[in-house]
Amino acid sequence: MTAPGPNLSALAQRKVLIEEAVMAFSERVKRRFETEGRRRLRLLQKCIEDAEARVVALAAARIDPVTFLNDWVWLYEPRNPGRGLPAMLPLTLRPRQVDFIRFLQDLRRRRRNGLVEKSRDEGMTWIVIGYYIHCWLFEAGFSGGLGSRKLDLVDKSGDLDTLFEKARFIVRRLPAFLRPQGFSEKLHSKEALLLNPANGASIKGEGGDNIGRGGRSSIYFVDEHSKVPRADSVHAALSANTDVIVYGGTPHGRNNLFARIAHNLIPGDPWEKFTFNWRDNPDKNYALDVPAANSQGTEVIYPWYLFEKSKSVDQALFEQEVDISYDAETKNQIILGAWVQAARALKLEGTLPLTAGLDVGDTGPDATTYASRAGPAVTRMQALNSEEAPQETHELATRDGVDLLQYDRNGVGAAIAATVARRTDRTYQVRGVFNGGKPSRTVYDDSQTPANLRFANFATECWWRLRLRFQRTWERMEQGAPHLDEDCISLAHLPAGEDLNTLMSQLSQATYSRVGTSDKLTVNKKGGDARKGEGGKSPNHAEALIYAFAPPPTEPEAPQNWVAAAAATIPDPQGGDDYELDSWS
């Protein structure tokens, strides 16, 4: 099947649907806030009139910061009047925001450090400030630290974009029975300092190089950490002064401490990580299934996302701040973020072949990951429990009805694959992919040069094949190019969640470069510039997809026996190749 040129009626229909959905969204949000505002007023009125109700409300707020934020914290959004919404809104925590409060509580309980990566406008900063105010009210001696790349972003009188003006805004709108006894804003609210005279608690702020220099803290939060200059020296100061550091913000490339922490590239235990992705926000992730504007079939669109994207003048910045891309500005990406988004939107029917890929994580934070596809439609992406990976892999491959399971045979996957291959009850073939092997002699449609003369190894060819699928998908969606279904790729069948978010991020991580006197292309799957020590952790989700789409070897090896298969689980001390499992299928 081919895709026709742009369908103008479908384009016009999609535009109308997006506008209607965005307007409907604004109306739903407005009604929700109006309902919540009335509830808040009734609660306040009851507390004013009834002393017992005040005692109950105070106790409930003291016990749980979620209750406190949901009942008493208001926030300010100056863009809302232009959207038909009030500028001052009651904070109503979404499920993911409740998870974030619990994340902060857990960090403090276990005295661990945490990193928060986010899509823009997910409310992270307001929630941190609201949580700090709860601690400031109810924890005697609490000392909360707030930092940003410069002091003007921490506190500037009258500027509600600053951290401390947000804190003052919350405190000013607390009912009298919740404010500290004896508190006076004139006496107890100074520049970058908020004191509680009743219990000795404080919130203090610092900017730039001074972050962490002002004494010890119960917890220290640094906003937009990826843009903090000289972050390593700041981190050293903080580490000596608090048991709990929280760095939050949107990505800003890979060559900074924020990115290294996010990808577990610093010494010591991995940091706890929390992700605020717009796809987890029920106000933004609503979807419509519509006729594809530039191709046959249907397309899954997210009206909020497309509306915001249409207003963006900087595509790289949009991918960075909305899609949480560490690679939006990276040169020589193998798969561009816009191509991945197109694959998420294009809904293709599943066809044959039914194939699965397995990437086995190294020891440490890397996940063992399983992926399956039905022709061009990716049907499953799932991180596995490494200890139970052989059994889980077999169960998933059986459930998906795949004909073939492929894995990296010259890596740590050999042991797991050997266990799966020995099963007598399997109905699928198991085949090893030799990443370091020779490329095929295939001539791809973006070059006249055969693959064996273009690519340094088979792994690079496999990445490039996947690149071409994503590129064709984007060309079909955005330009109406007549690419066949089987030459494209669809991520539309994958459910929203952590596995999808991880996959979409990892697909744009890998970069390519030219090496050696032959000037052949090679892939750096961890992204960045390997010579400078840049890049993330191994992209296991993306590589599982690579194996699901990998072609058969062009030069089959001689069959091995089960003794050799067992040996495949043990690294060859002479550096020889691992054994192929293909022959026992």
Side-chain angles (χ1 to χ4, degrees):
M1 183 180 75
T2 61
N7 185 332
L8 297 181
S9 62
L11 284 170
Q13 180 186 6
R14 183 169 83 159
K15 183 178 180 181
V16 170
L17 286 170
I18 291 172
E19 292 175 350
E20 289 178 347
V22 170
M23 290 177 63
F25 156 72
S26 296
E27 286 300 315
R28 286 198 306 272
V29 172
K30 184 178 180 180
R31 288 196 298 271
R32 186 173 78 233
F33 284 136
E34 288 174 348
T35 301
E36 175 61 15
R38 288 193 292 270
R39 185 194 74 84
R40 295 268 189 112
L41 288 175
R42 290 195 298 270
L43 176 61
L44 177 60
Q45 188 65 32
K46 186 175 182 179
C47 289
I48 291 173
E49 297 172 352
D50 187 343
E52 185 175 341
R54 288 197 299 274
V55 172
V56 172
L58 181 62
R62 181 190 301 273
I63 290 170
D64 188 3
V66 171
T67 300
F68 169 72
L69 268 69
N70 272 331
D71 283 350
W72 304 110
V73 170
W74 293 72
L75 51 81
Y76 178 76
E77 175 49 81
R79 295 171 295 182
N80 273 352
R83 303 167 176 171
L85 298 169
M88 190 171 77
L89 299 168
L91 176 57
T92 54
L93 294 173
R94 298 186 296 273
R96 191 60 176 160
Q97 293 174 324
V98 173
D99 292 342
F100 182 47
I101 293 287
R102 303 306 184 208
F103 174 78
L104 295 174
Q105 290 180 296
D106 186 62
L107 290 180
R108 294 189 64 199
R109 180 179 61 83
R110 297 191 295 125
R111 295 192 297 173
R112 297 294 302 272
N113 296 329
L115 182 131
V116 188
E117 56 181 15
K118 68 180 186 72
S119 299
R120 69 185 182 208
D121 295 336
E122 285 301 308
M124 176 195 71
T125 306
W126 277 104
I127 295 169
V128 169
I129 301 300
Y131 175 71
Y132 266 44
I133 294 298
H134 179 272
C135 299
W136 178 79
L137 288 171
F138 300 119
E139 291 185 27
F142 171 79
S143 177
L146 294 171
S148 192
R149 66 180 185 274
K150 56 183 180 179
L151 188 58
D152 276 356
L153 297 175
V154 176
D155 195 7
K156 189 176 181 181
S157 180
D159 186 351
L160 274 164
D161 284 336
T162 65
L163 305 176
F164 271 82
E165 277 297 284
K166 286 180 169 66
R168 296 185 188 103
F169 182 89
I170 292 173
V171 172
R172 288 169 188 151
R173 281 150 188 81
L174 292 175
F177 71 90
L178 275 173
R179 282 190 229 121
Q181 186 174 3
F183 175 78
S184 163
E185 187 170 323
K186 183 177 180 180
L187 296 175
H188 302 113
S189 178
K190 308 292 184 181
E191 183 183 31
L193 181 64
L194 194 62
L195 300 171
N196 183 336
N199 65 7
S202 65
I203 300 174
K204 56 191 176 182
E206 298 156 328
D209 291 346
N210 290 321
I211 294 173
R213 312 286 178 180
R216 297 181 179 178
S217 302
S218 308
I219 179 173
Y220 205 110
F221 170 76
V222 181
D223 198 23
E224 292 301 339
H225 181 268
S226 62
K227 298 178 182 178
V228 171
R230 294 171 291 281
D232 289 282
S233 62
V234 166
H235 180 69
L238 276 177
S239 298
N241 289 322
T242 184
D243 287 336
V244 183
I245 302 170
V246 182
Y247 293 151
T250 54
H252 190 60
R254 289 184 176 270
N255 193 23
N256 54 67
L257 180 60
F258 186 86
R260 296 201 303 274
I261 293 173
H263 296 93
N264 297 318
L265 296 176
I266 63 170
D269 293 335
W271 284 40
E272 305 293 324
K273 188 168 79 168
F274 188 93
T275 302
F276 267 126
N277 195 298
W278 70 267
R279 297 186 193 90
D280 301 320
N281 182 341
D283 287 340
K284 299 176 180 179
N285 68 6
Y286 56 97
L288 298 175
D289 201 351
V290 301
N294 286 330
S295 70
Q296 295 179 1
T298 60
E299 175 183 0
V300 179
I301 66 170
Y302 294 84
W304 173 87
Y305 179 85
L306 292 177
F307 182 75
E308 293 295 320
K309 186 177 181 180
S310 70
K311 299 187 300 179
S312 176
V313 296
D314 188 331
Q315 182 63 42
L317 184 64
F318 183 83
E319 291 181 18
Q320 183 173 279
E321 295 190 346
V322 176
D323 296 324
I324 315 182
S325 173
Y326 290 84
D327 303 294
E329 298 177 347
T330 300
K331 295 181 179 179
N332 295 342
Q333 283 175 271
I334 291 182
I335 301 171
L336 303 186
W339 301 353
V340 178
Q341 294 296 333
R344 176 61 176 158
L346 180 61
K347 194 169 187 178
L348 298 175
E349 294 302 319
T351 62
L352 299 177
L354 303 179
T355 309
L358 182 71
D359 187 79
V360 180
D362 298 327
T363 56
D366 287 348
T368 294
T369 311
Y370 169 94
S372 62
R373 68 178 178 105
V378 182
T379 53
R380 190 186 299 275
M381 178 62 58
Q382 186 170 328
L384 309 180
N385 182 326
S386 293
E387 294 180 358
E388 301 174 3
Q391 180 63 26
E392 286 189 61
T393 299
H394 173 69
E395 290 175 357
L396 291 173
T398 302
R399 187 183 311 164
D400 293 337
V402 303
D403 302 307
L404 174 65
L405 170 71
Q406 301 195 118
Y407 71 101
D408 175 14
R409 73 178 178 87
N410 60 309
V412 294
I416 288 179
T419 303
V420 174
R422 288 189 183 99
R423 298 188 68 106
T424 58
D425 58 341
R426 63 183 172 85
T427 57
Y428 50 89
Q429 182 182 5
V430 179
R431 180 162 65 206
V433 175
F434 182 24
N435 281 340
K438 295 178 180 179
S440 71
R441 293 179 175 84
T442 304
V443 176
Y444 294 102
D445 54 17
D446 66 329
S447 173
Q448 298 300 311
T449 304
N452 62 319
L453 300 179
R454 290 181 69 190
F455 306 121
N457 49 41
F458 189 59
T460 303
E461 181 180 2
C462 289
W463 273 96
W464 208 266
R465 287 171 60 94
L466 199 65
R467 166 194 169 94
L468 293 176
R469 280 187 177 271
F470 279 99
Q471 184 177 3
R472 294 187 201 108
T473 303
W474 179 84
E475 290 171 349
R476 173 170 165 170
M477 294 293 289
E478 299 297 325
Q479 301 175 348
H483 294 305
L484 299 172
D485 283 6
E486 55 264 34
D487 293 332
C488 296
I489 186 169
S490 170
L491 304 180
H493 296 275
L494 295 177
E498 191 62 33
D499 283 312
L500 174 63
N501 294 341
T502 300
L503 171 66
M504 294 182 73
S505 173
Q506 289 183 358
L507 283 168
S508 297
Q509 174 177 306
T511 59
Y512 65 89
S513 59
R514 297 187 180 276
V515 294
T517 56
S518 63
D519 204 31
K520 290 183 179 180
L521 290 171
T522 187
V523 62
N524 175 21
K525 65 183 183 180
K526 296 186 178 182
D529 187 335
R531 294 168 298 181
K532 298 178 181 178
E534 298 174 2
K537 63 180 182 181
S538 182
N540 298 73
H541 284 62
E543 291 205 289
L545 196 62
I546 291 287
Y547 298 134
F549 281 93
T554 55
E555 298 176 1
E557 297 183 8
Q560 307 294 331
N561 56 38
W562 280 109
V563 176
T569 67
I570 306 173
D572 183 349
Q574 303 302 318
D577 295 340
D578 293 318
Y579 291 96
E580 176 84 61
L581 297 184
D582 185 34
S583 53
W584 303 299
S585 302

